[in-house]
Amino acid sequence: MKGEGFEDLIRSWDGEEVLARFDEPAGAWMFVCVHSTLMGPATGGVRMKTYATPHEALLDCMRLSSLMTLKTAVSGLPMGGGKSVIAVPEVPAPGSEERRRVMERFGMMVGSLQGTYWSGPDMNTSEQDMDVLWDVAPYTFGRSPARGGSGDSAPDTAEGVLHGIKATVARAFGSPDLSGRTVLVEGVGGVGSRLAELLAKENASLLVADIDQERVTEIAERLAAGMVAPGDVIGAECDVYAPCAVGWTVNEETIPRLRCRAVAGAANNQLGELVHDAERLRRAGILYAPDYVINAGGAFHLIGYETLGWSRDEVDRHITGIGDTMTRIFERADEQGISTELAAERIAKDRLAKAGNPPTR
Ligand code: PPY
């Protein structure tokens, strides 16, 4: 993509709507990207992050938004795909006055859409932020339980990823048993740390990596895991590489250096180029669990509890089902000789096509 302006970027995207706002008090760019409302109101979390340029922030927002359309469709959730980004020069401290004000001003933007887009937690945004948003724009998932919300979805995301990893290991090695399988968890934040705990309980041979040295040391000691330096993750030998931090780590440059049998983790946007990198992985004999399928546990939690009235049992059933969905995708990919990414996309797009063409009575 040439040019620094937003127009080329927005026109290259197949989404429905983009809102952009420059927030002078915080020096922040705010974007809401509505990719699709075919299945229902667009939904997806709000990410707060420092980017090199607003262009990069918008690109991230658009790609994450497209993935949400695939995530809700492949998961059978009656919502569309959206995402938003608050691109700040520096992330304001949680609980600070500055933080609250930024969230309020972002909330006005979400409110102006009157329900076309529903927000929720994402990287660097928490249930406290969702409480603030809710007061300005009641189109928000993930408030705190004290405010009537379903609270932290990270444990359910981690649980879903565990089921996805088991299905992946079963496909790659013939058995879902994780004991002795080496799993490298990259990023031990809210989801990654819980995933590491679940894997340790399954007696997996655990490796952990994080840019936060203190956090990774604590987890490694507590779970008797090996530590890998952040710069050595890509070449590290393991059975499963589980990216649980930033996206775009699996790309044309890194794929030839991967020393794993499978990629299955929680991060959004793991592939640099969705279709091409999935095909590169297939040719390299590395089994890929599409990110938006394996990490849908958070969406089941938020949408299930807060709009579909699901019980704990129903949420659990859907989270366990992530393993079955993954198995179906692996089977389809093999049958059709295509990447797992394309197989997942086809399932999602079939559902979207049906939503776009309701049967005539
Ligand atoms: C994600 O799953 O990537 C999210 O953005 C979390 C989410 C899911 C569903 C509604 C709102 C936020």
Side-chain angles (χ1 to χ4, degrees):
M1 170 64 46
K2 289 245 170 2
E4 284 302 304
F6 293 150
E7 188 183 357
D8 289 349
L9 194 55
I10 292 170
R11 285 193 182 274
S12 72
W13 190 52
D14 65 347
E16 290 177 15
E17 188 171 350
V18 173
L19 260 75
R21 176 176 190 274
F22 179 67
D23 183 74
E24 195 277 332
W29 280 94
M30 298 176 174
F31 301 105
V32 178
C33 295
V34 172
H35 180 254
S36 168
T37 54
L38 266 180
M39 306 286 278
T43 191
V46 49
R47 170 168 295 201
M48 193 182 298
K49 207 180 140 185
T50 301
Y51 291 87
T53 62
H55 195 267
E56 197 184 288
L58 175 56
L59 179 61
D60 201 24
C61 193
M62 293 191 317
R63 291 187 39 153
L64 289 162
S65 177
S66 306
L67 287 188
M68 283 306 297
T69 300
L70 296 173
K71 185 180 307 196
T72 51
V74 85
S75 304
L77 286 163
M79 302 286 286
K83 205 86 178 188
S84 44
V85 160
I86 305 178
V88 279
E90 220 174 295
V91 176
S96 64
E97 185 59 16
E98 189 191 350
R99 173 83 162 226
R100 193 175 61 79
R101 294 247 163 102
V102 170
M103 289 315 292
E104 278 174 356
R105 293 193 298 270
F106 171 70
M108 309 253 290
M109 193 174 165
V110 174
S112 75
L113 285 166
Q114 301 196 9
T116 297
Y117 166 70
W118 280 66
S119 185
D122 196 87
M123 190 181 285
N124 287 330
T125 56
S126 65
E127 59 184 54
Q128 282 70 42
D129 293 314
M130 298 308 114
D131 287 350
V132 175
L133 264 185
W134 174 266
D135 288 336
V136 189
Y139 313 106
T140 305
F141 287 107
R143 278 164 294 150
S144 62
R147 296 291 312 278
S150 63
D152 189 6
S153 55
D156 280 336
T157 307
E159 185 82 35
V161 174
L162 179 73
H163 288 291
I165 288 179
K166 282 189 183 173
T168 306
V169 165
R171 190 76 185 171
F173 298 101
S175 157
D177 187 4
L178 293 179
S179 56
R181 291 272 160 236
T182 308
V183 184
L184 167 52
V185 178
E186 179 188 35
V188 285
V191 177
S193 61
R194 286 177 177 91
L195 176 63
E197 287 164 6
L198 296 173
L199 289 165
K201 273 197 206 140
E202 301 274 338
N203 295 317
S205 168
L206 200 58
L207 295 172
V208 287
D210 200 296
I211 48 171
D212 184 331
Q213 190 61 32
E214 214 174 297
R215 189 158 58 187
V216 75
T217 307
E218 186 277 317
I219 299 241
E221 281 173 7
R222 182 157 52 85
L223 302 178
M227 276 198 285
V228 175
D232 295 337
V233 165
I234 293 305
E237 208 145 318
C238 56
D239 292 317
V240 180
Y241 163 43
C244 296
V246 290
W248 303 23
T249 57
V250 180
N251 54 50
E252 187 174 12
E253 189 273 315
T254 58
I255 291 170
R257 298 193 287 123
L258 287 174
R259 292 289 169 270
C260 58
R261 178 70 185 81
V263 175
N268 276 317
N269 246 348
Q270 292 170 27
L271 304 183
E273 297 171 285
L274 217 52
V275 174
H276 292 308
D277 288 328
E279 181 59 21
R280 286 184 184 110
L281 286 170
R282 188 177 81 88
R283 295 201 175 159
I286 297 172
L287 192 57
Y288 171 60
D291 48 9
Y292 53 83
V293 182
I294 195 170
N295 74 11
F300 283 133
H301 170 113
L302 294 167
I303 300 171
Y305 280 133
E306 296 188 20
T307 67
L308 302 175
W310 284 356
S311 64
R312 179 69 235 174
D313 274 0
E314 283 167 297
V315 172
D316 277 340
R317 197 159 46 75
H318 282 86
I319 287 172
T320 310
I322 289 174
D324 305 325
T325 305
M326 203 59 75
T327 303
R328 209 164 54 242
I329 288 167
F330 293 147
E331 286 168 358
R332 279 220 191 177
D334 274 357
E335 278 161 24
Q336 299 179 14
I338 55 175
S339 70
T340 52
E341 169 63 36
L342 266 188
E345 266 185 39
R346 284 186 187 170
I347 295 174
K349 287 184 176 162
D350 279 354
R351 290 196 178 143
L352 287 162
K354 285 192 186 113
N357 301 290
T360 46
R361 279 169 220 261

